[in-house]
Amino acid sequence: MIDWSKCPAVESEPGRVGGAWVFTGTRLPVSALFGNLAAGANIEEFLDWFPVAERWQVEAVLEYVVENLDAKVKHENPV
């Protein structure tokens, strides 16, 4: 599981959106990004559909996921 607390592009507050991780300063769940990408949308479409998210936030979230996946692979398969 990814520890989102270290990603500056997202935040979670228990009383807002049920405590889901959202893009900072919005009520847009980070899961909306992944759901739309999985359904075939690209980043440009996502930003058009959800203008409350900023490009830097989307890029930061994607980079954070890649970094965490890379770290997990290295941890599970040390050289």
Side-chain angles (χ1 to χ4, degrees):
M1 176 155 289
I2 293 177
D3 177 6
W4 287 106
S5 67
K6 295 181 175 134
C7 180
V10 301
E11 63 187 1
S12 174
E13 293 182 24
R16 190 168 43 144
V17 193
W21 287 98
V22 297
F23 289 96
T24 302
T26 75
R27 296 179 58 81
L28 178 61
V30 173
S31 61
L33 172 63
F34 296 105
N36 279 274
L37 293 176
N42 61 43
I43 293 171
E44 292 302 321
E45 291 170 323
F46 180 80
L47 291 169
D48 285 344
W49 298 334
F50 301 97
V52 296
E54 296 183 35
R55 176 175 296 281
W56 77 266
Q57 292 173 310
V58 170
E59 291 174 354
V61 164
L62 295 173
E63 289 171 14
Y64 191 75
V65 169
V66 168
E67 289 170 6
N68 276 270
L69 291 174
D70 285 347
K72 182 175 179 165
V73 168
K74 287 177 184 175
H75 176 71
E76 292 176 357
N77 301 307
V79 177

